[in-house]
Amino acid sequence: MNRTIVRLTAQGMLGGRRLWLLGALALLLVVIAVATRLLAPVSEADAAALLRAVAFSTFLPLFGLIVGTGAIAPEIDDGSIVHLLAKPVSRHTIVQSKLLVAVGAVVALAVVPTMLAAAVLGAGPRTVLAFGAGALAAGAVYSVLFLLLTIVTRHAVIIGLVYALIWESLVGSFVPGARNLSVQQWALSVTESIAPSGLVTADVGLGLAYGLIVGGFVAATWYAGSRLNALTLTSEE
Amino acid sequence: MATLTIDTCSRWFGNVVAVNDVTMSIGPGITGLLGPNGAGKSTLINMLAGFLPPSAGAVTLDGAATWKNPEVYRALGIVTEREATYDFLTGRQLVVASAELHGLPDAGAAAQRALETVAMQQAQDRKIGEYSKGMKQRVKMASALVHDPQVLLLDEPFNGMDPRQRLHLIELLRRMGAEGRTVLFSSHILEEVEQLAHQIEVVVAGRYAASGDYREIRRLMTDRPHQYTIASSDDRALASALVADASTAGVSLEDGVLRVQAREFLRFAELLPRVARDADVRLFEVSPADESLESVFSYLVEN
């Protein structure tokens, strides 16, 4: 971890329009919760179903995509990444520092609003905590996956959107086996393990889910560092 | 004392060969990398800077590979041609961040020194996004110099500079060269390189073309066959008089235009007026037909 890189990343990522976009997304989630609560009576099961559909299926992948790519994509695109690369700093340190900022943004602007939405919908403390833990797991894994994708390919946003929209929602609903490779299912499994029983069901076993979340996070972080080490910079010549 | 070495190095991008079997060694003092646009200068500098692996061959700084070796940046300062920096920082913040990333004990003081070196103290607290192109170049320079590197690489550093900034940079690079540092800069303008570099390496179309001090390069560039188109009072008489001299390599008279191929520049410059006078022909116009830098460079490659 390097404090200077954390500072530069936070300033670059959260300064300007991206922060407004993320804030608006977070606000939208809470507004949906408030509106639902005001318009109709909500049971805890309804609350869970709503959070699952809105927060886990749509909001978290999108949020992870924005912060994961936002932590490094602009610098790679415009070439200002040379300021970090031309320094005697390990590429793994660069990735870890950027990831810290992305996960920090996930906690502040995705995990907290998800918990807030759960509370607004009238969920009990355990359910609120369960969804918070699930959101953290999903947000952290999405962040590192999209950060890695940005280093590997210039089409990270397209691929990320395809993954989030097609894989997570469509393929998962038709091909049960694909759910094992769905970050959303891993996160739901975490939520299931904490929430009151029967409230949330996930298709991936808890042990496997925890293994994939932690293992995937660590492996993707390491791999992103080694890919950054091999990132080539060319000029327009 | 630091030496950059490029050893039988090639770099290709798909089917395009950007650098073709180049070998050169760059020692202390100022070296100019001269070549037309698209000659592979930036590719060479990117490989020296450790931003690009050679497809074949090796690029080393004092024996250590520059690719995948962040430790080389302790001795290496790099100013790239691309303009982008962190526009949301002030000039001073950028240089301080550089100093911190180098792990310097007193980042603030080091940044102050570097900003003074490039004369940017006045504007240091303004956002980089508000800087002019020349100011951006200078603050990037300060950021590259903050750790007092033994080796400095600059890609087209004079692009977009006004004459005053140019003079200032020339003075700065001269000082660094005199201190025994290894300075390499690229340019496509001979005069620029001539003015500053004690050693010139010429690359054309990805290949090594020539090297030497500026006198040798200048001689290579002027002592080559020149082509002229000539308009005179009697082209036919002038043509027959010119072809008799050994310094004329060829004469053609087509569509009323007289073209002369001269073997040597200086000798022909002296010959033409004498021959014209003796033949009683008046010269209206003598113009060189192929003075573009590209033709000069391609001549160098052919030899």
Side-chain angles (χ1 to χ4, degrees), chain B residues 8 12 29 41-43 46-47 49-50 75 83 89 136-137 150 160 162 180 198 201 211 217 219 221 283 296:
Chain B
T8 53
W12 48 86
K41 302 187 298 290
S42 292
T43 304
N46 278 329
M47 287 195 289
E83 223 179 291
L89 296 180
K136 276 188 187 169
Q137 191 73 12
Q150 266 304 305
D162 66 33
H198 78 283
E201 305 280 345
S211 67
I217 300 295
R219 189 183 54 72
M221 292 200 169
L283 292 170
V296 176

Side-chain angles (χ1 to χ4, degrees), chain A residues 212-225:
Chain A
L212 286 169
I213 288 168
V214 174
F217 188 83
V218 171
T221 306
W222 178 85
Y223 187 55

